[in-house]
Coordinates of all heavy atoms in Angstrom, one line a residue:
E1 N 0.8 -1.2 0.0 CA 0.0 0.0 0.0 C 0.9 1.2 0.0 O 1.9 1.3 0.7 CB -0.9 0.0 1.2 CG -1.9 1.0 1.2 CD -2.9 0.9 2.3 OE1 -3.4 -0.3 2.5 OE2 -3.2 1.9 3.0
F2 N 0.5 2.2 -0.9 CA 1.3 3.4 -1.0 C 0.4 4.6 -0.7 O -0.8 4.6 -0.9 CB 1.8 3.6 -2.4 CG 2.9 2.6 -2.8 CD1 2.5 1.4 -3.5 CD2 4.2 2.8 -2.4 CE1 3.5 0.5 -3.8 CE2 5.1 1.8 -2.8 CZ 4.8 0.7 -3.5
S3 N 1.1 5.7 -0.2 CA 0.4 6.9 0.1 C 1.2 8.0 -0.5 O 2.4 8.1 -0.3 CB 0.2 7.1 1.6 OG -0.4 8.3 1.9
I4 N 0.6 8.9 -1.3 CA 1.3 10.1 -1.8 C 0.7 11.3 -1.2 O -0.5 11.5 -1.3 CB 1.1 10.1 -3.4 CG1 1.7 8.8 -4.0 CG2 1.8 11.3 -4.0 CD1 1.5 8.6 -5.4
V5 N 1.6 12.2 -0.7 CA 1.2 13.4 -0.1 C 1.8 14.6 -0.8 O 3.0 14.5 -1.2 CB 1.6 13.4 1.4 CG1 1.2 14.7 2.0 CG2 1.0 12.3 2.1
G6 N 1.0 15.6 -1.1 CA 1.6 16.8 -1.8 C 0.5 17.7 -2.3 O -0.6 17.5 -2.0
N7 N 0.9 18.6 -3.1 CA 0.0 19.6 -3.7 C 0.0 19.4 -5.2 O 1.0 19.1 -5.8 CB 0.4 21.0 -3.4 CG 0.3 21.3 -1.9 OD1 -0.5 20.8 -1.2 ND2 1.3 22.1 -1.4
V8 N -1.2 19.7 -5.8 CA -1.4 19.6 -7.2 C -2.1 20.9 -7.6 O -3.1 21.3 -7.0 CB -2.2 18.4 -7.7 CG1 -2.4 18.5 -9.2 CG2 -1.5 17.1 -7.3
H9 N -1.5 21.6 -8.6 CA -2.1 22.9 -9.1 C -2.5 22.6 -10.5 O -1.7 22.3 -11.4 CB -1.2 24.0 -9.0 CG -1.7 25.3 -9.6 ND1 -2.7 26.0 -9.0 CD2 -1.4 25.9 -10.8 CE1 -3.0 27.0 -9.8 NE2 -2.2 27.0 -10.8
L10 N -3.8 22.7 -10.8 CA -4.3 22.6 -12.2 C -4.9 23.9 -12.6 O -5.9 24.3 -12.2 CB -5.4 21.5 -12.2 CG -5.0 20.1 -11.8 CD1 -6.2 19.2 -11.7 CD2 -3.9 19.5 -12.7
G11 N -4.1 24.6 -13.5 CA -4.6 25.9 -14.0 C -5.4 25.7 -15.2 O -5.5 24.6 -15.8
G12 N -6.2 26.7 -15.6 CA -7.0 26.6 -16.8 C -6.1 26.5 -18.0 O -5.0 26.9 -18.0
Q13 N -6.7 26.0 -19.1 CA -5.9 25.8 -20.3 C -6.7 26.1 -21.5 O -7.9 25.8 -21.6 CB -5.5 24.3 -20.4 CG -4.7 24.0 -21.6 CD -4.3 22.5 -21.7 OE1 -4.4 21.8 -20.7 NE2 -3.9 22.1 -22.8
E14 N -6.1 26.8 -22.4 CA -6.8 27.2 -23.7 C -6.0 26.4 -24.8 O -4.8 26.3 -24.7 CB -6.7 28.7 -24.0 CG -7.7 29.5 -23.3 CD -9.1 29.3 -23.8 OE1 -9.3 29.0 -25.0 OE2 -10.1 29.4 -23.0
H15 N -6.7 25.9 -25.7 CA -6.0 25.3 -26.9 C -5.4 26.3 -27.7 O -5.9 27.4 -27.9 CB -7.0 24.5 -27.7 CG -7.6 23.3 -26.9 ND1 -6.9 22.1 -26.8 CD2 -8.8 23.2 -26.3 CE1 -7.7 21.3 -26.1 NE2 -8.8 21.9 -25.8
C16 N -4.3 26.0 -28.4 CA -3.6 26.8 -29.3 C -4.1 26.5 -30.7 O -3.8 25.4 -31.2 CB -2.1 26.7 -29.2 SG -1.2 27.7 -30.3
Y17 N -4.8 27.4 -31.3 CA -5.4 27.1 -32.6 C -4.3 27.4 -33.7 O -3.5 28.3 -33.6 CB -6.6 28.0 -32.9 CG -7.5 28.0 -31.7 CD1 -7.7 29.1 -31.0 CD2 -8.2 26.8 -31.4 CE1 -8.5 29.1 -29.9 CE2 -9.1 26.8 -30.3 CZ -9.2 28.0 -29.5 OH -10.1 28.0 -28.5
M18 N -4.4 26.6 -34.8 CA -3.5 26.8 -35.9 C -3.7 28.2 -36.5 O -2.8 28.9 -36.9 CB -3.6 25.8 -37.0 CG -3.3 24.4 -36.5 SD -1.5 24.3 -36.1 CE -0.8 24.3 -37.7
E19 N -5.0 28.6 -36.5 CA -5.4 29.9 -37.1 C -5.8 30.8 -35.9 O -6.6 30.4 -35.1 CB -6.5 29.7 -38.0 CG -7.1 31.0 -38.6 CD -8.4 30.7 -39.4 OE1 -9.3 29.9 -38.9 OE2 -8.5 31.3 -40.4
T20 N -5.3 32.0 -35.8 CA -5.7 32.9 -34.8 C -7.1 33.5 -35.1 O -7.5 33.4 -36.2 CB -4.7 34.1 -34.6 OG1 -4.6 34.7 -35.9 CG2 -3.3 33.5 -34.2
H21 N -7.7 34.1 -34.1 CA -9.0 34.8 -34.3 C -8.7 36.1 -35.1 O -7.9 36.9 -34.8 CB -9.6 35.2 -33.0 CG -10.1 34.0 -32.2 ND1 -11.3 33.4 -32.6 CD2 -9.7 33.3 -31.1 CE1 -11.6 32.4 -31.7 NE2 -10.6 32.4 -30.9
S22 N -9.5 36.2 -36.2 CA -9.5 37.5 -37.0 C -10.8 37.7 -37.6 O -11.5 36.7 -37.9 CB -8.3 37.4 -38.0 OG -8.6 36.4 -38.9
A23 N -11.1 38.9 -37.9 CA -12.4 39.3 -38.6 C -12.1 40.5 -39.5 O -11.3 41.4 -39.2 CB -13.4 39.6 -37.6
L24 N -12.8 40.5 -40.6 CA -12.8 41.6 -41.5 C -14.3 42.0 -41.7 O -15.1 41.1 -42.1 CB -12.2 41.3 -42.9 CG -12.4 42.3 -44.0 CD1 -11.7 43.6 -43.6 CD2 -11.8 41.7 -45.3
V25 N -14.7 43.2 -41.5 CA -16.0 43.6 -41.6 C -16.1 44.8 -42.6 O -15.3 45.8 -42.5 CB -16.6 44.1 -40.3 CG1 -18.1 44.6 -40.5 CG2 -16.6 43.0 -39.3
I26 N -16.9 44.7 -43.6 CA -17.0 45.7 -44.7 C -18.4 46.2 -44.7 O -19.4 45.4 -45.0 CB -16.6 45.1 -46.1 CG1 -15.2 44.5 -46.0 CG2 -16.8 46.1 -47.2 CD1 -14.8 43.6 -47.2
P27 N -18.6 47.5 -44.5 CA -20.0 48.1 -44.6 C -20.4 48.1 -46.1 O -19.6 48.5 -46.9 CB -19.8 49.5 -44.0 CG -18.5 49.5 -43.3 CD -17.6 48.4 -43.9
T28 N -21.6 47.7 -46.3 CA -22.1 47.7 -47.7 C -23.5 48.3 -47.6 O -24.2 48.1 -46.6 CB -22.2 46.3 -48.3 OG1 -22.9 45.5 -47.4 CG2 -20.8 45.7 -48.5
G29 N -24.0 49.0 -48.6 CA -25.3 49.6 -48.6 C -25.5 50.5 -47.4 O -26.4 50.2 -46.6
K30 N -24.8 51.6 -47.3 CA -24.8 52.4 -46.2 C -26.2 52.9 -45.8 O -26.5 53.0 -44.6 CB -23.9 53.6 -46.4 CG -22.5 53.2 -46.5 CD -21.6 54.4 -46.5 CE -20.1 54.0 -46.6 NZ -19.2 54.6 -45.8
E31 N -27.1 53.1 -46.7 CA -28.4 53.6 -46.4 C -29.2 52.5 -45.7 O -30.1 52.8 -44.9 CB -29.2 54.1 -47.6 CG -29.5 53.0 -48.6 CD -28.4 52.6 -49.6 OE1 -27.4 53.3 -49.6 OE2 -28.6 51.6 -50.3
K32 N -28.9 51.2 -45.9 CA -29.6 50.1 -45.3 C -28.8 49.5 -44.1 O -29.2 48.6 -43.5 CB -29.8 49.0 -46.3 CG -30.8 49.4 -47.4 CD -31.0 48.3 -48.3 CE -32.0 48.6 -49.4 NZ -32.2 47.6 -50.3
K33 N -27.6 50.1 -43.8 CA -26.8 49.7 -42.7 C -26.4 48.2 -42.8 O -26.5 47.4 -41.9 CB -27.4 50.0 -41.4 CG -27.7 51.4 -41.1 CD -28.3 51.7 -39.8 CE -28.6 53.2 -39.6 NZ -29.3 53.5 -38.4
E34 N -26.0 47.8 -44.0 CA -25.6 46.4 -44.2 C -24.2 46.2 -44.0 O -23.4 47.1 -44.1 CB -26.1 45.9 -45.6 CG -27.6 46.0 -45.8 CD -27.9 45.7 -47.3 OE1 -27.1 45.7 -48.2 OE2 -29.1 45.4 -47.5
M35 N -23.8 44.9 -43.7 CA -22.4 44.6 -43.5 C -22.1 43.2 -44.0 O -22.9 42.3 -43.9 CB -22.0 44.6 -42.0 CG -22.0 45.9 -41.4 SD -21.3 45.8 -39.7 CE -20.9 47.5 -39.5
T36 N -20.9 43.0 -44.6 CA -20.4 41.7 -44.9 C -19.3 41.4 -43.9 O -18.3 42.2 -43.8 CB -19.9 41.6 -46.3 OG1 -21.0 41.9 -47.2 CG2 -19.4 40.2 -46.7
V37 N -19.3 40.3 -43.2 CA -18.4 39.9 -42.2 C -17.6 38.6 -42.6 O -18.3 37.6 -42.9 CB -19.1 39.6 -40.9 CG1 -18.1 39.2 -39.8 CG2 -19.9 40.8 -40.5
Y38 N -16.3 38.7 -42.7 CA -15.5 37.5 -43.0 C -14.9 37.1 -41.7 O -14.1 37.9 -41.1 CB -14.4 37.9 -44.0 CG -15.0 38.2 -45.4 CD1 -15.3 39.6 -45.7 CD2 -15.2 37.3 -46.3 CE1 -15.8 39.9 -46.9 CE2 -15.8 37.6 -47.6 CZ -16.0 38.9 -47.8 OH -16.6 39.3 -49.0
F39 N -15.2 35.9 -41.2 CA -14.8 35.5 -39.8 C -14.7 34.0 -39.8 O -15.6 33.3 -40.3 CB -15.9 36.1 -38.8 CG -15.5 35.8 -37.4 CD1 -14.3 36.2 -36.9 CD2 -16.4 35.2 -36.6 CE1 -14.0 36.0 -35.5 CE2 -16.1 35.0 -35.2 CZ -14.9 35.4 -34.7
S40 N -13.6 33.5 -39.2 CA -13.5 32.1 -39.0 C -14.2 31.7 -37.8 O -13.8 32.0 -36.7 CB -12.0 31.7 -39.0 OG -11.4 32.4 -37.9
T41 N -15.3 31.0 -37.9 CA -16.2 30.6 -36.8 C -16.8 29.3 -37.1 O -17.0 28.9 -38.2 CB -17.3 31.7 -36.6 OG1 -18.1 31.3 -35.4 CG2 -18.1 31.9 -37.8
Q42 N -17.2 28.7 -36.0 CA -18.0 27.4 -36.1 C -19.5 27.7 -36.0 O -20.3 26.8 -36.2 CB -17.6 26.5 -35.0 CG -16.2 26.0 -35.1 CD -15.7 25.2 -33.8 OE1 -15.7 25.8 -32.8 NE2 -15.4 24.0 -34.0
E43 N -19.9 29.0 -35.8 CA -21.3 29.3 -35.7 C -21.6 30.7 -36.4 O -21.8 31.7 -35.7 CB -21.6 29.5 -34.2 CG -21.5 28.2 -33.4 CD -22.0 28.5 -31.9 OE1 -21.7 29.5 -31.4 OE2 -22.6 27.5 -31.4
P44 N -21.6 30.6 -37.7 CA -21.9 31.9 -38.4 C -23.3 32.5 -38.1 O -23.4 33.7 -38.1 CB -21.8 31.5 -39.9 CG -21.8 30.0 -39.9 CD -21.4 29.5 -38.6
S45 N -24.3 31.6 -37.8 CA -25.6 32.2 -37.5 C -25.6 32.9 -36.2 O -26.2 34.0 -36.0 CB -26.6 31.0 -37.4 OG -26.6 30.3 -38.5
N46 N -24.8 32.4 -35.2 CA -24.7 33.1 -33.9 C -24.0 34.5 -34.1 O -24.4 35.5 -33.5 CB -23.9 32.3 -32.9 CG -23.8 32.9 -31.6 OD1 -24.8 33.5 -31.0 ND2 -22.6 33.0 -31.0
V47 N -22.9 34.5 -34.9 CA -22.2 35.7 -35.2 C -23.2 36.8 -35.8 O -23.2 37.9 -35.4 CB -21.0 35.5 -36.1 CG1 -20.3 36.8 -36.5 CG2 -20.0 34.6 -35.4
Q48 N -24.0 36.3 -36.7 CA -24.9 37.2 -37.4 C -25.9 37.8 -36.4 O -26.2 39.0 -36.3 CB -25.7 36.4 -38.5 CG -26.7 37.2 -39.2 CD -27.6 36.4 -40.1 OE1 -27.9 35.2 -39.8 NE2 -27.9 36.9 -41.3
A49 N -26.4 36.9 -35.5 CA -27.4 37.3 -34.5 C -26.8 38.3 -33.5 O -27.4 39.3 -33.1 CB -28.0 36.1 -33.8
Q50 N -25.6 38.0 -33.1 CA -24.9 38.9 -32.1 C -24.6 40.3 -32.6 O -24.8 41.3 -32.0 CB -23.6 38.2 -31.6 CG -23.8 37.0 -30.8 CD -24.5 37.2 -29.5 OE1 -24.3 38.2 -28.8 NE2 -25.4 36.3 -29.1
I51 N -24.1 40.3 -33.9 CA -23.8 41.6 -34.5 C -25.0 42.4 -34.7 O -25.1 43.6 -34.5 CB -23.0 41.4 -35.8 CG1 -21.6 40.9 -35.5 CG2 -22.9 42.7 -36.6 CD1 -20.8 40.5 -36.8
S52 N -26.1 41.7 -35.2 CA -27.4 42.5 -35.4 C -27.9 43.0 -34.1 O -28.4 44.1 -34.1 CB -28.4 41.6 -36.1 OG -29.1 40.8 -35.2
S53 N -27.7 42.3 -33.0 CA -28.2 42.7 -31.7 C -27.4 43.9 -31.2 O -27.9 44.9 -30.8 CB -28.1 41.6 -30.7 OG -28.4 42.0 -29.4
V54 N -26.1 43.9 -31.4 CA -25.2 44.9 -30.9 C -25.4 46.2 -31.7 O -25.4 47.3 -31.1 CB -23.7 44.5 -31.0 CG1 -22.8 45.7 -30.8 CG2 -23.4 43.5 -29.9
L55 N -25.6 46.1 -33.0 CA -25.8 47.2 -33.9 C -27.2 47.7 -34.0 O -27.5 48.8 -34.6 CB -25.2 47.0 -35.3 CG -23.7 46.7 -35.3 CD1 -23.2 46.4 -36.7 CD2 -22.9 47.8 -34.7
G56 N -28.1 46.9 -33.5 CA -29.5 47.3 -33.6 C -30.1 47.3 -35.0 O -30.9 48.1 -35.4
V57 N -29.7 46.3 -35.8 CA -30.2 46.2 -37.2 C -30.8 44.8 -37.4 O -30.4 43.8 -36.7 CB -29.1 46.5 -38.3 CG1 -28.6 47.9 -38.1 CG2 -28.0 45.5 -38.2
P58 N -31.7 44.6 -38.3 CA -32.2 43.2 -38.6 C -31.1 42.3 -39.0 O -30.1 42.7 -39.7 CB -33.2 43.4 -39.7 CG -33.5 44.9 -39.7 CD -32.3 45.6 -39.2
Q59 N -31.2 41.0 -38.7 CA -30.2 40.0 -39.1 C -30.0 39.9 -40.6 O -28.9 39.6 -41.0 CB -30.6 38.6 -38.5 CG -30.5 38.5 -37.0 CD -30.7 37.1 -36.5 OE1 -30.5 36.2 -37.2 NE2 -31.1 37.0 -35.3
N60 N -31.0 40.2 -41.4 CA -30.8 40.0 -42.8 C -29.9 41.0 -43.4 O -29.6 41.0 -44.6 CB -32.2 40.0 -43.5 CG -32.9 41.3 -43.5 OD1 -32.6 42.2 -42.7 ND2 -33.9 41.4 -44.3
R61 N -29.5 42.0 -42.6 CA -28.6 43.0 -43.1 C -27.1 42.7 -42.8 O -26.2 43.4 -43.2 CB -28.9 44.4 -42.5 CG -30.3 44.8 -42.9 CD -30.5 46.2 -43.2 NE -31.9 46.5 -43.6 CZ -32.6 47.4 -43.1 NH1 -32.1 48.2 -42.1 NH2 -33.8 47.6 -43.5
I62 N -26.9 41.6 -42.1 CA -25.6 41.1 -41.7 C -25.3 39.8 -42.5 O -26.0 38.8 -42.3 CB -25.4 40.9 -40.2 CG1 -25.9 42.1 -39.4 CG2 -24.0 40.5 -39.9 CD1 -25.1 43.3 -39.6
V63 N -24.3 39.8 -43.3 CA -23.9 38.6 -44.1 C -22.6 38.1 -43.5 O -21.6 38.8 -43.5 CB -23.8 38.9 -45.6 CG1 -23.3 37.6 -46.3 CG2 -25.1 39.3 -46.2
V64 N -22.6 36.9 -43.0 CA -21.4 36.3 -42.4 C -20.8 35.2 -43.4 O -21.5 34.3 -43.7 CB -21.6 35.7 -41.1 CG1 -20.3 35.1 -40.5 CG2 -22.1 36.7 -40.1
K65 N -19.6 35.4 -43.8 CA -19.0 34.4 -44.7 C -17.8 33.8 -44.0 O -17.0 34.5 -43.4 CB -18.5 35.1 -46.0 CG -19.6 35.7 -46.8 CD -19.1 36.2 -48.1 CE -20.3 36.7 -49.0 NZ -20.0 36.9 -50.3
T66 N -17.8 32.5 -44.1 CA -16.7 31.8 -43.4 C -16.3 30.6 -44.2 O -17.1 29.9 -44.9 CB -17.2 31.3 -42.0 OG1 -16.1 30.8 -41.3 CG2 -18.3 30.3 -42.0
K67 N -15.0 30.2 -44.1 CA -14.5 29.0 -44.7 C -14.8 27.9 -43.7 O -15.1 28.1 -42.6 CB -13.0 29.1 -44.9 CG -12.6 30.2 -45.9 CD -12.7 29.7 -47.3 CE -12.1 30.7 -48.2 NZ -12.1 30.2 -49.6
R68 N -14.6 26.7 -44.2 CA -14.9 25.5 -43.3 C -13.9 25.6 -42.2 O -12.7 25.8 -42.3 CB -14.7 24.3 -44.1 CG -15.0 23.0 -43.3 CD -14.9 21.8 -44.2 NE -15.4 22.1 -45.5 CZ -15.4 21.2 -46.5 NH1 -15.0 20.0 -46.3 NH2 -15.9 21.5 -47.7
V69 N -14.4 25.4 -40.9 CA -13.6 25.4 -39.7 C -13.8 24.1 -39.0 O -14.9 23.7 -38.8 CB -14.0 26.6 -38.8 CG1 -13.2 26.6 -37.5 CG2 -13.8 27.9 -39.5
G70 N -12.7 23.5 -38.6 CA -12.7 22.3 -37.9 C -11.6 22.1 -37.0 O -10.6 22.8 -37.1
G71 N -11.7 21.3 -36.0 CA -10.6 21.0 -35.1 C -10.3 22.1 -34.2 O -9.1 22.2 -33.7
A72 N -11.2 23.0 -33.9 CA -10.9 24.2 -33.0 C -11.3 23.9 -31.6 O -11.2 24.8 -30.8 CB -11.6 25.4 -33.6
F73 N -11.8 22.7 -31.2 CA -12.1 22.4 -29.9 C -13.2 23.3 -29.3 O -13.2 23.6 -28.1 CB -10.9 22.3 -29.0 CG -9.8 21.5 -29.5 CD1 -8.7 22.2 -30.1 CD2 -9.8 20.2 -29.5 CE1 -7.6 21.5 -30.7 CE2 -8.8 19.4 -30.0 CZ -7.7 20.1 -30.6
G74 N -14.0 23.9 -30.1 CA -15.1 24.8 -29.7 C -14.6 26.2 -29.5 O -15.4 27.1 -29.2
G75 N -13.3 26.5 -29.7 CA -12.8 27.9 -29.5 C -13.2 28.8 -30.6 O -13.2 30.0 -30.3
K76 N -13.6 28.4 -31.7 CA -14.1 29.3 -32.8 C -15.5 29.6 -32.6 O -16.1 30.1 -33.5 CB -13.8 28.7 -34.1 CG -12.3 28.5 -34.4 CD -11.6 29.8 -34.6 CE -10.2 29.7 -35.0 NZ -9.6 30.9 -35.4
E77 N -16.1 29.4 -31.5 CA -17.5 29.8 -31.2 C -17.5 31.2 -30.6 O -18.6 31.8 -30.7 CB -18.1 28.8 -30.2 CG -18.3 27.4 -30.7 CD -18.8 26.4 -29.7 OE1 -18.7 26.8 -28.5 OE2 -19.1 25.3 -30.0
R78 N -16.5 31.6 -30.1 CA -16.4 33.0 -29.5 C -16.5 34.0 -30.7 O -15.7 33.9 -31.6 CB -15.2 33.2 -28.7 CG -15.1 32.2 -27.5 CD -13.8 32.3 -26.8 NE -13.7 31.3 -25.8 CZ -13.1 30.1 -25.9 NH1 -12.6 29.8 -27.0 NH2 -13.1 29.3 -24.9
C79 N -17.3 35.1 -30.5 CA -17.4 36.0 -31.6 C -17.0 37.4 -31.2 O -17.3 38.4 -32.0 CB -18.8 35.9 -32.2 SG -20.1 36.4 -31.1
F80 N -16.4 37.6 -30.1 CA -16.1 39.0 -29.7 C -15.2 39.7 -30.7 O -15.3 41.0 -30.8 CB -15.4 39.0 -28.3 CG -14.1 38.3 -28.2 CD1 -12.9 39.0 -28.4 CD2 -14.1 37.0 -27.9 CE1 -11.7 38.4 -28.3 CE2 -12.9 36.3 -27.8 CZ -11.7 37.0 -28.0
V81 N -14.3 39.0 -31.4 CA -13.5 39.7 -32.4 C -14.3 40.3 -33.5 O -14.1 41.4 -34.0 CB -12.4 38.7 -33.0 CG1 -11.7 39.3 -34.1 CG2 -11.5 38.2 -31.9
A82 N -15.3 39.5 -34.0 CA -16.2 40.0 -35.0 C -17.1 41.2 -34.5 O -17.3 42.2 -35.2 CB -17.1 38.9 -35.5
L83 N -17.5 41.1 -33.3 CA -18.3 42.2 -32.7 C -17.5 43.5 -32.6 O -18.0 44.6 -33.0 CB -18.8 41.8 -31.3 CG -19.8 40.7 -31.2 CD1 -20.0 40.3 -29.7 CD2 -21.0 41.0 -31.9
I84 N -16.2 43.4 -32.2 CA -15.4 44.6 -32.1 C -15.2 45.2 -33.5 O -15.3 46.4 -33.7 CB -14.0 44.2 -31.4 CG1 -14.2 43.9 -30.0 CG2 -13.0 45.4 -31.6 CD1 -13.0 43.2 -29.3
A85 N -14.9 44.4 -34.5 CA -14.7 44.9 -35.8 C -15.9 45.5 -36.4 O -15.9 46.5 -37.1 CB -14.2 43.7 -36.7
A86 N -17.1 44.9 -36.1 CA -18.4 45.4 -36.6 C -18.7 46.8 -36.0 O -19.1 47.7 -36.8 CB -19.5 44.4 -36.3
V87 N -18.5 46.9 -34.8 CA -18.7 48.2 -34.1 C -17.8 49.3 -34.7 O -18.2 50.4 -35.0 CB -18.6 48.1 -32.6 CG1 -18.6 49.5 -31.9 CG2 -19.7 47.3 -32.0
A88 N -16.5 48.9 -34.9 CA -15.6 49.9 -35.5 C -15.9 50.2 -36.9 O -15.9 51.4 -37.3 CB -14.2 49.3 -35.4
A89 N -16.3 49.2 -37.7 CA -16.7 49.5 -39.1 C -17.9 50.4 -39.2 O -18.0 51.3 -40.0 CB -17.0 48.2 -39.8
R90 N -18.9 50.2 -38.3 CA -20.1 51.0 -38.2 C -19.7 52.5 -37.9 O -20.1 53.4 -38.5 CB -21.1 50.5 -37.3 CG -22.2 51.4 -36.9 CD -23.1 51.8 -38.0 NE -23.9 50.7 -38.5 CZ -25.0 50.3 -37.9 NH1 -25.4 50.8 -36.8 NH2 -25.7 49.2 -38.4
K91 N -18.9 52.6 -36.8 CA -18.5 53.9 -36.4 C -17.7 54.7 -37.4 O -17.9 55.9 -37.6 CB -17.7 53.8 -35.1 CG -17.3 55.1 -34.4 CD -18.5 55.7 -33.8 CE -18.1 57.0 -33.0 NZ -19.2 57.7 -32.5
L92 N -16.8 54.0 -38.1 CA -15.9 54.7 -39.0 C -16.4 54.7 -40.4 O -16.0 55.5 -41.3 CB -14.5 53.9 -39.1 CG -13.7 53.9 -37.7 CD1 -12.5 53.0 -37.8 CD2 -13.4 55.3 -37.3
G93 N -17.4 53.9 -40.7 CA -18.0 53.8 -42.1 C -17.0 53.3 -43.1 O -17.1 53.6 -44.3
A94 N -16.1 52.4 -42.6 CA -15.1 51.9 -43.5 C -14.8 50.4 -43.0 O -15.2 50.0 -41.9 CB -13.8 52.7 -43.4
A95 N -14.2 49.7 -43.9 CA -13.8 48.3 -43.6 C -12.8 48.3 -42.5 O -11.9 49.1 -42.3 CB -13.2 47.7 -44.8
C96 N -13.0 47.3 -41.6 CA -12.1 47.2 -40.4 C -11.7 45.7 -40.2 O -12.6 44.8 -40.4 CB -12.9 47.6 -39.1 SG -13.1 49.4 -39.0
R97 N -10.5 45.5 -40.0 CA -9.9 44.2 -39.7 C -9.4 44.2 -38.3 O -8.7 45.1 -37.8 CB -8.8 43.8 -40.7 CG -8.2 42.5 -40.5 CD -7.0 42.2 -41.3 NE -7.3 42.4 -42.7 CZ -7.6 41.5 -43.6 NH1 -7.8 40.2 -43.2 NH2 -7.9 41.7 -44.8
F98 N -9.7 43.1 -37.6 CA -9.3 42.9 -36.2 C -8.7 41.6 -36.1 O -9.3 40.6 -36.4 CB -10.5 43.1 -35.2 CG -10.1 43.2 -33.8 CD1 -9.7 44.4 -33.3 CD2 -10.1 42.1 -33.0 CE1 -9.4 44.5 -31.9 CE2 -9.8 42.2 -31.6 CZ -9.4 43.4 -31.1
V99 N -7.4 41.5 -35.7 CA -6.7 40.3 -35.6 C -6.0 40.1 -34.2 O -5.3 41.1 -33.8 CB -5.5 40.2 -36.7 CG1 -4.8 38.9 -36.6 CG2 -6.1 40.4 -38.1
L100 N -6.2 39.0 -33.6 CA -5.5 38.7 -32.3 C -4.2 37.9 -32.6 O -4.3 37.0 -33.4 CB -6.4 37.9 -31.4 CG -7.7 38.5 -30.9 CD1 -8.4 37.5 -30.0 CD2 -7.4 39.8 -30.2
D101 N -3.1 38.3 -32.1 CA -1.9 37.6 -32.3 C -1.8 36.6 -31.2 O -2.6 36.4 -30.3 CB -0.7 38.5 -32.4 CG -0.5 39.3 -31.1 OD1 -1.0 39.0 -30.1 OD2 0.3 40.3 -31.2
R102 N -0.7 35.9 -31.1 CA -0.5 34.8 -30.2 C 0.0 35.2 -28.8 O 0.2 34.5 -27.9 CB 0.4 33.7 -30.7 CG -0.2 33.0 -31.9 CD 0.4 31.7 -32.2 NE -0.1 31.1 -33.4 CZ -1.2 30.5 -33.5 NH1 -2.0 30.3 -32.5 NH2 -1.6 30.0 -34.7
S103 N 0.4 36.5 -28.7 CA 1.0 37.0 -27.4 C 0.0 37.3 -26.3 O -1.2 37.4 -26.5 CB 1.8 38.2 -27.6 OG 1.1 39.2 -28.2

C-alpha cells in the first residue's frame, strides 16, 4: 500500500489554434446599414445574431462568410473579435480588420 502526499495545481488551459482569431467587416449599402463579415467561426448564425443585436439592425442586413472550420475544440465559437470589428466598421463607415496575435 502506497500513500502520496503533496499539492497539485491545475490551471486553466486554452487550446492553441493553428489559425488565430481574426475578422474583416465591410460596410455595404450604407443607407440600409448592411455589412459583410469575414470571420473564421463554427457558428456563423450566432455571429450574425450577435452583430445584429449589438448594432440594432435586422439580421438579414448582416452577411457572415466563413471558410470551413474544424478541429478548433469549440474555441471558434467565440465572436467577440467580429463584434469589435463590426462596431468599429459602423462607427468609421469603413472596412475594419481585427486580428488577435498569439501573445
Side-chain angles (χ1 to χ4, degrees):
E1 188 171 314
F2 293 97
S3 177
I4 299 175
V5 178
N7 296 323
V8 175
H9 175 72
L10 301 174
Q13 179 178 348
E14 282 287 331
H15 294 280
C16 180
Y17 314 109
M18 296 298 288
E19 174 188 47
T20 58
H21 286 284
S22 65
L24 170 63
V25 179
I26 303 170
T28 56
K30 293 190 184 223
E31 68 280 350
K32 294 183 180 177
K33 300 179 181 177
E34 297 175 345
M35 293 187 159
T36 301
V37 180
Y38 296 90
F39 184 54
S40 57
T41 180
Q42 292 169 299
E43 296 183 324
S45 303
N46 180 49
V47 173
Q48 179 188 39
Q50 294 295 323
I51 291 174
S52 86
S53 175
V54 166
L55 298 181
V57 299
Q59 287 187 27
N60 66 345
R61 301 217 177 129
I62 309 295
V63 176
V64 178
K65 297 187 176 195
T66 187
K67 297 279 188 176
R68 186 177 319 183
V69 177
F73 310 102
K76 294 291 183 167
E77 294 172 349
R78 298 174 185 96
C79 64
F80 62 91
V81 173
L83 294 173
I84 292 168
V87 169
R90 165 63 68 77
K91 184 74 174 170
L92 298 173
C96 288
R97 181 186 305 264
F98 192 83
V99 181
L100 297 181
D101 60 17
R102 295 199 185 279
S103 57

